[in-house]
Amino acid sequence: MHLNRRKNNNNVWLLLLLSTVTAGASLIPPGTQQLYTLQSQVSLDQLQSAASQELGYNFETKLKINSVWSKNEEQLLQLYFGESRVAAGDKQREIKTLPDRPFYIALVKGQPQQVIAHTSRDESLLNLERGIASLLQLRHSDSEETELDVSGHCRVRYEVKSSTRVEKTKTDCALWDLRVSYHPEQALGVDQQSQEQVQYELSADGALLRAQSTETHRLSLAAKSDAGSLVRASLKLEHVAEGAETVQQLQHESLEAAIESLLEWYRVFELEANLLQQFEHLSPQLQSEHVGKSSLALAFAQLLPLARLAKQPEFEQLLQSQSKLAVQLVDLLGAVQTFEAHNATFAHLYQGSQTKTEQMELLEKYLQSLAVATHPERRIVEHLYNFLQQADNKAKQSKLRDTVLQTLAVLARQSGFADNDQLLQQIRVYLLEGLATDDATLYIRALQNLRDLGTIDALLEQATHSKDVKVSVAALQALKAFPANSFAQPQRRQFESIFYQHRRRYDSSARTLALDVLLSMRPDAAQLGALLDYLASNDRQFEIKTYVLQKLRMLSELCPRFRAAFLTSLRQRSHVNNYHVLGQRGLTTVLSRQLSHSPAFNESLLSIQEVSQGILKRGSVEFLLHAGREQASSFKLGIYTAGLGSMVGDSDADAGSDNIPADDELEQEETITAGMEISVQGSQLRPLVFFSGQTELMGHVWGGTASDSTPAYQATTLAQDHEQYIVLSSGATLYWRILGARSVDLNGKVNFSLWNRNAQTEIQQNTGSAVVGRIAVGFTYAKLVQDFSLTHEPKLSLNADLDFYSGIKLCMQLQSPDQLLTYNNTRAAHLQAVAKPYVKYLRSSRTHKSAGRTFSLNQKNNDMCNMIFADY
C-alpha cells in the first residue's frame, strides 16, 4: 500500500507492509550500526535442455544499517548502499551511479511495516529496497499464515529448526501472477510453478547473521511443457561486523512523527512505439503467398505487441498506405482488440449504404479476426451492439450483419460480463427475440457463440418443437457447444426424447447431435446399457446405429474408465454382443486420430462423417490442441448437404449386392443445398453456401466452376495471448509475454460427372503456426532476456471419391504429410547503466520431424476404396 503526501522539497516512497504481531528480539539491535553484504543473483535457463549453458547476473553491494529511532517495540532503520558491482559471466562492472541518500524501514514489534525511499532511485531499486525489508520479516514459532511483502500476499509456512535457525516457505504470492492478459482456454494458456524458501541464521541474542531467499519460477506453454524458461533468483543478506560510527537518533516522540518528517514523492512513466516502421520491415513475410505458412504467422506475432500500443491515427495511416496488404492488415487489427484499432478500421472501411463490396469483405475479415479475441475493450462490444440497431443496413448488408452478430456474441462471452451486466442482458434479449424471425438459424448460431446459461431452455424449445429441420439441427448444434455441466437431469431427459424419438420423429442429424450431448454428460451403467440395447432395436436407420457404435468405440479408445464400463455392459447383453448387431452396415464414420505428440505439439483430429443414402449429409474435421487433461479446438471445418440423394439415386440398387437400406425420410421436402461451416477456436463464423437449389447446382456441374481449386477460408488469427509480470523477492521484475498466431489456407475442388455417375472431392488445409515468447528479468544495472519462437506447418488433405454407377460406393482418404517443428531460442545477459556496457548472447535451435501418414478410417471404408480403385 502506498501513502503519499507533499512536504518541503524531498521526494520519497512509502510502502506499508502488513504483518501479524510476533514477539521476539530485534534483528538489528537498537541504537547500533551493523554492516552487511547484500548479494542478488538471477539466472535464466532453458527447459529440459541438458546442454544449456547457464546465463545470469550477480549484484553485490555493502549495506550499512543504522537504528536511528527506537521506543518500546517500535524501531526505524536507516540503510545506505556502499560499494556496489554487477557481473555477468566473467565480466564485472563497478556501479558509480547509486544514489547516496538513505532509505528507511519502520518496524513494529520486530516486523517491517513501512519502507520510505527516495524516488531518485527508480522503480527497480525501490523493489530491491522492498526486498531487503521483506528479508527482515521473521516469526519465531512454527506457523502457517498469510503475509504481505514485496511479493504481495503469500501463503507462508515457518519451521523453527533450532534456537538460531528458522526456515520460511512461500507459495501462492499475489505478485507472482500480475496478469495483463490471458487466454480463457487452458490448452492455449501457460503453466507456472513458483516457490520461494528463506533461511535465517540468528545470533544467540536474536540478532540477524544471515538471511537468504531462494526462489524458482518455471514458466512454460501449457501445450508444450519444454518451451519456456526456468528462472532462479536469490537474495542474501550476510552480517560482516558491527559498525564503529555513532548513530545519531531522530528526536521524535513517536514512530509516526519520525516518518512524517520524510514524506513526499511523485513518479512519471513514458512509453513509445513505432508500428509503421516495423510493418514495412516485415512486409515481405506478409504477402499473400505466405498465407498458410509459418513465416506469416511469425511476422503477425512479432507485430502484435507494437500494434497494441499504437493510436488511431497510426492505424489510419497504415490502412491508407498498405492497401496491397489490406487483407493481412485487417487480420492484425482484429487481434489488437483495442478501441483505437476498431475505430480506425470501421472509419476506413464502412461507409454506410455506400460501402463497396471489397470494403465489406475486408470488414468481415476484420470482424472474424476480432471474434477470436480474448480480452476486447468493452467499447467495442457496445459499438457492435449499436451497429445492429441501425435500420439502414438490414437488407443490403445481410452478410455483414450476420458476421457482426456472430462476433458480438463471441465477444460478449469472452468479456466475462457478470450475469446482471446491462449490456449482456441487452444482447441476450436481442438474440432471443431473433428466434421468432424468419432468420432463426442466424440467431441460433449467435446463441451458440454466446453460450449463456440463460438461453438453454429457449434453445431446447427450438430443438424439440420446431418443425423446420434446419432450425432443430442448428439448435442442437448450439446446445452441443455448451459445457456438459451446463445441463441438469430434466434437460438430459429432453435429449433422450430426441434421440430415442419418444414423442415424434427427428432428423438423423438432430438425433446424432442429441447423442453427442448425452455422451458428454457421462452416462451411468443404465444409460449406457440403454444405448447398447438400441443397437438391437428394430430402428432401420442403420447410419445412426453405425454412428452410435463408432462413437462408443472411439470414447473407449480415449478413456480407459469408459472402456471398462462399455465392455462390461456389452458382455451382459448377448443379444447385442454378436456380429449380426455389431457388424457395420452403414457408411457413417466417427474417429479420433493423433496428429502429433511430444516433442511436437500434442494435437489430435476428430472426424465425423454422417452419411445418408450414400451421400455425405453432415461432416466435420476438428483439430484439437491438448495440454494434460485440457483441450481446445483450434479449427473446425464442417460440410453440410441436403436433398442430394435424388441426384445420385440408383434404380438398380435394389438388385445390387451393395444395397444400403435407406434411412426413414421425414415428410418435409428438402431443397438441394450444400455449404461449409467454419469454427476458429470455438468461434462459429458465418456459413459459406456453395449452392441452394437444383438450378444453381446444375450451373456448377455444367460450367465446371467447382473443378478448380477455390479458396474457402484464408486468414491469420490470434492463438496464444498471455502477458504477465512477476515481482521477485530480490527486487527484480520478471516480464513474460506469449503470443501465438495461426495462418490458415483452406481450399477445395469438386468434380461431378453425371455421364460417368461419379464425383471426386478434394479439401486441402495448409496451416502455418508460430508462437513467440519473451521473458525478461532484471533491474537498473543488469537484465536477462530470453526470446524464443516455435514454428510449424501442419497440413491435411481429405479426398472423397463417390461412385454411383452401380450401387453407391464412397471412399474417403485422410492424409497428412511430413511436419517439421522448429524451436529457436536466444538468451542475452546485459550489464547496463555502467561505465562499459556489456552484453552476452547464447543461441540455440532444435527441430523435430513428424512423419507423414495416411489415417485408417474403418474397415468398411477400406473395402469401398478397394472396390472403387480395383480397376486402376
Side-chain angles (χ1 to χ4, degrees):
M1 182 186 301
H2 291 113
L3 300 178
N4 61 302
R5 298 181 60 183
R6 180 172 300 276
K7 182 178 179 182
N8 301 328
N9 294 319
N10 297 323
N11 302 319
V12 295
W13 271 84
L14 175 65
L15 172 69
L16 289 183
L17 297 171
L18 306 179
S19 62
T20 305
V21 176
T22 306
S26 297
L27 296 178
I28 308 297
T32 68
Q33 179 183 80
Q34 304 296 326
L35 304 180
Y36 287 84
T37 58
L38 180 72
Q39 185 180 57
S40 173
Q41 293 180 318
V42 180
S43 66
L44 185 62
D45 298 323
Q46 295 186 69
L47 297 177
Q48 300 181 9
S49 179
S52 174
Q53 183 179 346
E54 184 176 295
L55 189 73
Y57 71 79
N58 181 27
F59 167 73
E60 295 182 10
T61 186
K62 293 180 179 179
L63 199 62
K64 181 169 62 176
I65 304 180
N66 298 325
S67 177
V68 297
W69 187 93
S70 62
K71 186 175 181 180
N72 299 326
E73 293 181 299
E74 298 178 334
Q75 187 178 20
L76 185 64
L77 302 179
Q78 181 189 63
L79 296 87
Y80 284 91
F81 288 115
E83 294 179 8
S84 304
R85 63 184 61 86
V86 64
D90 57 353
K91 302 297 181 182
Q92 181 173 287
R93 300 287 189 267
E94 289 190 9
I95 298 176
K96 302 291 188 180
T97 56
L98 266 177
D100 56 2
R101 291 178 175 179
F103 67 99
Y104 297 83
I105 300 175
L107 301 102
V108 175
K109 295 187 177 181
Q111 299 300 303
Q113 295 288 297
Q114 302 169 347
V115 174
I116 306 99
H118 290 273
T119 54
S120 58
R121 279 174 169 77
D122 78 31
E123 183 72 19
S124 65
L125 284 179
L126 290 170
N127 280 337
L128 176 59
E129 291 160 359
R130 296 180 183 119
I132 295 170
S134 299
L135 282 180
L136 302 179
Q137 186 155 278
L138 171 65
R139 309 189 187 281
H140 299 272
S141 61
D142 291 343
S143 63
E144 291 188 10
E145 50 200 294
T146 300
E147 284 185 351
L148 175 64
D149 64 10
V150 67
S151 300
H153 283 96
C154 306
R155 295 176 59 187
V156 175
R157 184 179 73 250
Y158 282 95
E159 293 184 65
V160 178
K161 302 295 185 181
S162 70
S163 60
T164 59
R165 291 181 58 243
V166 180
E167 186 175 284
K168 176 167 69 174
T169 302
K170 294 166 56 178
T171 56
D172 300 329
C173 292
L175 299 190
W176 287 350
D177 192 12
L178 292 171
R179 297 188 182 186
V180 179
S181 61
Y182 66 97
H183 204 290
E185 293 282 0
Q186 293 186 33
L188 288 169
V190 299
D191 281 338
Q192 176 183 346
Q193 300 172 16
S194 300
Q195 189 179 51
E196 179 186 354
Q197 283 193 332
V198 189
Q199 296 178 331
Y200 294 92
E201 288 186 16
L202 310 175
S203 66
D205 56 2
L208 181 64
L209 297 179
R210 185 175 70 89
Q212 182 169 0
S213 161
T214 304
E215 63 183 309
T216 59
H217 300 273
R218 190 184 191 279
L219 314 173
S220 66
L221 296 180
K224 186 166 172 55
S225 60
D226 61 346
S229 281
L230 179 63
V231 180
R232 298 185 180 94
S234 69
L235 183 65
K236 182 170 68 172
L237 185 64
E238 191 161 17
H239 188 259
V240 176
E242 183 172 344
E245 299 176 6
T246 300
V247 178
Q248 183 177 355
Q249 299 294 294
L250 296 177
Q251 301 302 313
H252 295 282
E253 288 297 320
S254 66
L255 180 61
E256 289 78 8
I259 295 172
E260 184 76 16
S261 66
L262 303 172
L263 295 182
E264 184 182 8
W265 64 275
Y266 68 90
R267 62 197 292 195
V268 177
F269 292 98
E270 293 184 2
L271 194 56
E272 296 180 0
N274 191 334
L275 175 62
L276 295 170
Q277 184 178 3
Q278 188 69 359
F279 195 93
E280 287 282 357
H281 175 69
L282 293 174
S283 60
Q285 287 78 46
L286 297 171
Q287 303 298 320
S288 298
E289 59 264 26
H290 290 279
V291 174
K293 297 181 180 179
S294 60
S295 53
L296 194 154
L298 184 61
F300 186 94
Q302 290 171 338
L303 281 169
L304 196 52
L306 282 177
R308 285 180 170 171
L309 300 174
K311 300 299 181 183
Q312 182 170 341
E314 201 168 356
F315 290 125
E316 291 173 347
Q317 187 176 349
L318 264 178
L319 288 164
Q320 290 287 348
S321 61
Q322 299 291 339
S323 58
K324 292 183 179 180
L325 295 176
V327 172
Q328 288 80 350
L329 181 54
V330 294
D331 282 343
L332 177 67
L333 294 179
V336 171
Q337 307 173 50
T338 65
F339 196 58
E340 300 273 355
H342 184 77
N343 263 350
T345 306
F346 262 81
H348 182 75
L349 295 175
Y350 187 67
Q351 309 298 326
S353 59
Q354 304 302 315
T355 306
K356 299 177 181 178
T357 301
E358 182 181 355
Q359 292 174 312
M360 202 83 72
E361 292 174 351
L362 287 173
L363 195 53
E364 273 203 86
K365 274 192 64 64
Y366 162 76
L367 291 166
Q368 289 172 353
S369 177
L370 179 64
V372 188
T374 57
H375 47 88
E377 288 189 30
R378 182 185 180 93
R379 289 181 294 173
I380 297 177
V381 185
E382 291 172 341
H383 173 260
L384 294 179
Y385 175 72
N386 292 331
F387 178 88
L388 291 173
Q389 311 306 310
Q390 300 173 15
D392 62 345
N393 56 34
K394 290 186 177 180
K396 183 178 178 181
Q397 302 172 357
S398 58
K399 291 182 179 179
L400 177 60
R401 280 183 53 80
D402 190 345
T403 300
V404 170
L405 189 65
Q406 307 311 320
T407 303
L408 172 67
V410 175
L411 298 188
R413 168 169 54 89
Q414 297 285 47
S415 296
F417 295 142
D419 190 60
N420 60 352
D421 185 280
Q422 183 179 359
L423 179 58
L424 176 60
Q425 291 178 344
Q426 290 175 328
I427 294 171
R428 183 192 298 136
V429 169
Y430 181 80
L431 298 183
L432 290 175
E433 289 176 348
L435 297 180
T437 67
D438 294 335
D439 293 327
T441 55
L442 184 152
Y443 292 92
I444 289 175
R445 282 197 305 273
L447 290 172
Q448 176 179 341
N449 282 323
L450 183 64
R451 292 174 214 168
D452 183 89
L453 296 181
T455 66
I456 288 178
D457 289 339
L459 287 169
L460 270 170
E461 176 71 19
Q462 296 292 322
T464 55
H465 293 95
S466 177
K467 300 299 182 181
D468 189 331
V469 170
K470 291 185 294 183
V471 171
S472 176
V473 171
L476 282 160
Q477 282 182 315
L479 289 164
K480 182 183 174 182
F482 282 77
N485 58 11
S486 305
F487 306 111
Q489 284 304 313
Q491 293 159 336
R492 168 186 275 278
R493 288 191 288 271
Q494 288 182 277
F495 289 118
E496 289 175 340
S497 177
I498 295 172
F499 176 72
Y500 292 112
Q501 303 188 115
H502 288 159
R503 294 175 181 161
R504 70 178 182 91
R505 296 167 61 190
Y506 289 91
D507 180 77
S508 60
S509 294
R511 296 180 66 189
T512 55
L513 287 166
L515 173 70
D516 291 341
V517 177
L518 290 171
L519 290 175
S520 71
M521 296 176 70
R522 298 184 178 182
D524 58 26
Q527 293 160 348
L528 181 57
L531 285 174
L532 289 174
D533 290 336
Y534 163 75
L535 296 176
S537 70
N538 59 4
D539 189 339
R540 291 183 55 78
Q541 292 201 15
F542 295 106
E543 293 295 350
I544 293 183
K545 290 185 175 181
T546 301
Y547 187 95
V548 173
L549 183 58
Q550 293 206 15
K551 187 83 176 189
L552 294 175
R553 285 174 171 169
M554 183 193 75
L555 293 176
S556 297
E557 293 173 359
L558 298 176
C559 178
R561 182 178 298 179
F562 185 87
R563 176 180 175 83
F566 172 66
L567 292 177
T568 299
S569 294
L570 193 59
R571 293 190 194 101
Q572 296 171 348
R573 291 169 168 78
S574 58
H575 65 289
V576 177
N577 193 13
N578 57 74
Y579 179 79
H580 176 72
V581 174
L582 300 183
Q584 187 170 332
R585 302 181 68 178
L587 296 175
T588 293
T589 302
V590 181
L591 60 88
S592 176
R593 295 292 184 266
Q594 193 77 22
L595 288 175
S596 60
H597 52 78
S598 182
F601 283 100
N602 188 6
E603 291 184 293
S604 66
L605 175 145
L606 176 62
S607 175
I608 297 175
Q609 310 299 326
E610 180 191 341
V611 176
S612 177
Q613 299 181 21
I615 299 297
L616 180 65
K617 181 179 181 181
R618 183 176 64 93
S620 68
V621 177
E622 185 173 15
F623 298 90
L624 299 170
L625 179 66
H626 299 265
R629 294 184 177 182
E630 301 295 332
Q631 68 179 30
S633 173
S634 56
F635 190 86
K636 182 178 181 180
L637 166 66
I639 300 290
Y640 65 89
T641 67
L644 288 181
S646 60
M647 299 294 295
V648 298
D650 182 16
S651 58
D652 300 326
D654 293 336
S657 61
D658 211 12
N659 181 28
I660 299 175
D663 290 343
D664 294 340
E665 296 181 3
L666 297 179
E667 295 179 1
Q668 182 173 338
E669 184 177 341
E670 291 184 306
T671 302
I672 296 178
T673 58
M676 177 183 294
E677 296 176 326
I678 293 175
S679 172
V680 182
Q681 294 179 40
S683 170
Q684 190 76 24
L685 306 185
R686 177 178 64 80
L688 175 65
V689 179
F690 294 154
F691 53 82
S692 179
Q694 185 168 350
T695 302
E696 191 172 340
L697 168 61
M698 295 309 296
H700 286 297
V701 171
W702 298 118
T705 51
S707 301
D708 296 326
S709 183
T710 304
Y713 177 79
Q714 291 183 324
T716 303
T717 56
L718 186 64
Q720 288 85 356
D721 187 3
H722 186 91
E723 189 174 6
Q724 173 182 350
Y725 289 90
I726 299 173
V727 178
L728 308 184
S729 290
S730 64
T733 300
L734 188 154
Y735 173 70
W736 185 21
R737 183 182 69 216
I738 300 292
L739 290 169
R742 292 174 66 90
S743 183
V744 178
D745 178 15
L746 178 68
N747 57 77
K749 62 180 180 180
V750 178
N751 289 312
F752 196 99
S753 174
L754 291 178
W755 180 262
N756 295 317
R757 299 181 67 78
N758 61 27
Q760 296 84 35
T761 301
E762 179 182 333
I763 299 175
Q764 181 79 30
Q765 177 174 304
N766 302 317
T767 304
S769 177
V771 179
V772 175
R774 161 161 280 216
I775 297 172
V777 57
F779 75 130
T780 304
Y781 301 101
K783 179 175 65 175
L784 305 176
V785 179
Q786 177 184 3
D787 290 299
F788 67 86
S789 65
L790 281 159
T791 57
H792 71 139
E793 296 183 354
K795 295 179 174 62
L796 193 74
S797 64
L798 175 64
N799 297 301
D801 289 85
L802 174 66
D803 187 325
F804 50 96
Y805 187 82
S806 177
I808 296 177
K809 307 177 189 69
L810 175 65
C811 168
M812 291 184 289
Q813 297 173 298
L814 191 63
Q815 297 175 317
S816 175
D818 293 348
Q819 295 183 29
L820 186 68
L821 183 141
T822 303
Y823 181 40
N824 292 316
N825 199 307
T826 300
R827 292 179 295 149
H830 300 261
L831 298 182
Q832 54 196 18
V834 292
K836 292 183 179 180
Y838 167 76
V839 61
K840 177 183 180 180
Y841 290 99
L842 295 176
R843 294 180 173 88
S844 63
S845 180
R846 64 177 187 264
T847 59
H848 173 75
K849 183 177 181 180
S850 300
R853 65 186 75 179
T854 297
F855 298 96
S856 174
L857 302 185
N858 54 54
Q859 187 57 46
K860 184 75 171 183
N861 186 73
N862 294 345
D863 295 341
M864 290 287 184
C865 292
N866 291 334
M867 294 173 64
I868 289 177
F869 298 112
D871 297 331
Y872 289 88

